[in-house]
């Protein structure tokens, strides 16, 4: 059975007139009539009753019409969908994010994609530090990452999307709870909740550098893998934490955020594989460029 025969049948069923159906299909009437008879012979049923004055669907034709409409719609939808996919307007985007980026950058990106690329589905992987995202990109388990440089693996391109100050998270009953701004030197005798050293955290590195610059090495009381766990331990009064400012977008009961005087900043980049030539990635980068997501004056880094 040929798809064109189904389209011929649908045209005749809609018009109940071979002449008008032929005009709609931009073909002569005799070949159309012949094609319908071939279809009926293949099915072994009459689809139309024909008189010199009228063409009407038989009972079998009415049943067949409903199925044909579904088939043709499915075919048309498939054609449209593959066209959108080829244009980078449809597909699944697998994105990895650091823990703190999940609170501010993820909602912003999700809203932007919903508006600009509504047929694209997000597969989100959060609480991934930079080394894990790099591995995910290289192994093709991620399409893009929102990570903190430096990027050490080859074959990954990246561009900055944010420069974030570091802030201090303290328990609600902490002695610094009333302070508006704190100095790192004030934290000399504090217990810190930090990311696991083996994870290769860029934030950890920045915190240690900042503390060393004012004369002490931070005492790490707890090493954890996830930002949500860092906040839980701070809320429990088990230590303080220095985190990127985007964490302010995640209010947590029992945790207060304090600005840090002369703090360091940590950068956040969007990263992708250099050899990824998929239409979806090309379209994504165009959308991000158009909406000024990338920081001005800083180009792609390989």
């Amino acid at each position: 059975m040929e798809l064109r025969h189904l389209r011929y049948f649908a045209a005749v069923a809609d018009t109940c007139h071979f002449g008008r159906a032929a005009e709609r299909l931009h073909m002569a009437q005799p070949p159309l009539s012949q094609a319908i008879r071939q279809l009926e012979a293949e099915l072994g049923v009459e689809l139309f009753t024909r008189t010199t004055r009228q063409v009407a669907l038989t009972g079998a034709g009415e049943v067949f019409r409903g199925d044909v409409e579904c088939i043709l719609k499915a075919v048309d939808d498939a054609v449209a969908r593959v066209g959108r996919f080829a244009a980078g307007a449809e597909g699944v985007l697998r994105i990895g994010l650091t823990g703190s980026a999940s609170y501010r950058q993820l909602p912003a990106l999700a809203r932007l994609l919903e508006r600009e690329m509504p047929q694209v589905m997000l597969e989100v992987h959060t609480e991934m530090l930079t080394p894990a995202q790099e591995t995910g990109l290289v192994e093709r388990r991620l399409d893009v990452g929102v990570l903190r440089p430096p990027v050490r693996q080859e074959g990954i391109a990246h561009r900055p999307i944010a420069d974030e100050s570091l802030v201090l998270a303290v328990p609600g009953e902490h002695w610094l709870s009333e302070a508006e701004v704190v100095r790192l030197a004030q934290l000399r005798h504090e217990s810190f909740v930090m990311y696991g050293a083996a994870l290769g955290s860029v934030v950890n590195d920045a915190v240690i550098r900042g503390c060393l610059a004012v004369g002490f090495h931070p005492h790490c009381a707890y090493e954890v893998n996830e930002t949500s766990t860092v906040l839980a331990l701070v809320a429990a009064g088990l230590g303080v934490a220095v985190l990127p400012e985007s964490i302010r977008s995640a209010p947590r009961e029992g945790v207060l955020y304090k600005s840090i005087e002369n703090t360091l900043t940590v950068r956040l980049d969007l990263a992708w594989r250099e050899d990824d030539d998929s239409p979806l990635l090309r379209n994504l980068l165009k959308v991000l460029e158009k909406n000024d997501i990338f920081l001005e004056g800083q180009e792609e880094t390989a």
Side-chain angles (χ1 to χ4, degrees), residues 99-142:
S100 57
S102 303
Y103 301 113
R104 180 176 294 175
Q105 281 74 29
L106 176 57
L109 285 171
R111 285 193 298 268
L112 177 61
L113 291 180
E114 176 64 23
R115 186 181 76 238
E116 300 277 355
M117 301 169 68
Q119 301 299 323
V120 172
M121 299 293 294
L122 281 180
E123 180 184 299
V124 179
H125 302 266
T126 59
E127 300 286 3
M128 296 184 71
L129 297 182
T130 294
Q133 289 192 51
E134 290 181 65
T135 300
L137 288 168
V138 170
E139 294 180 354
R140 301 181 182 274
R141 291 182 284 106
L142 294 177

Side-chain angles (χ1 to χ4, degrees), residues 204-216:
N204 269 14
D205 293 343
V207 173
I208 292 170
R209 285 198 309 272
C211 292
L212 289 175
V214 295
F216 76 98

Side-chain angles (χ1 to χ4, degrees), residues 47-211:
L47 299 171
F48 298 98
T49 58
R50 304 163 177 84
T51 68
T52 55
R53 300 175 58 185
Q54 186 179 16
V55 175
L57 284 164
T58 64
E62 289 284 3
V63 171
F64 192 56
R65 181 183 188 180
D67 290 337
V68 166
E69 287 176 349
C70 291
I71 291 168
L72 293 179
K73 183 179 185 303
V75 171
D76 291 342
D77 288 348
V79 171
R81 186 176 181 185
V82 76
R84 291 194 299 268
F85 184 87
E90 181 167 334
V92 176
L93 182 71
R94 300 167 300 172
I95 181 170
L97 302 104
T98 66
S100 57
S102 303
Y103 301 113
R104 180 176 294 175
Q105 281 74 29
L106 176 57
L109 285 171
R111 285 193 298 268
L112 177 61
L113 291 180
E114 176 64 23
R115 186 181 76 238
E116 300 277 355
M117 301 169 68
Q119 301 299 323
V120 172
M121 299 293 294
L122 281 180
E123 180 184 299
V124 179
H125 302 266
T126 59
E127 300 286 3
M128 296 184 71
L129 297 182
T130 294
Q133 289 192 51
E134 290 181 65
T135 300
L137 288 168
V138 170
E139 294 180 354
R140 301 181 182 274
R141 291 182 284 106
L142 294 177
D143 301 307
V144 295
V146 179
L147 49 72
R148 299 191 187 280
V151 174
R152 294 181 172 86
Q153 295 204 44
E154 295 183 357
I156 297 177
H158 54 104
R159 289 185 63 182
I161 59 175
D163 274 317
E164 294 188 89
S165 299
L166 296 177
V167 299
L168 177 68
V170 299
E173 301 300 321
H174 194 269
W175 66 277
L176 288 171
S177 61
E178 300 298 324
E180 293 186 7
V181 179
V182 301
R183 292 175 287 107
L184 280 179
Q186 292 177 276
L187 308 178
R188 181 182 305 273
H189 301 298
E190 293 292 326
S191 295
F192 282 71
V193 182
M194 304 179 75
Y195 297 108
L199 299 176
S201 166
V202 173
V203 173
N204 269 14
D205 293 343
V207 173
I208 292 170
R209 285 198 309 272
C211 292

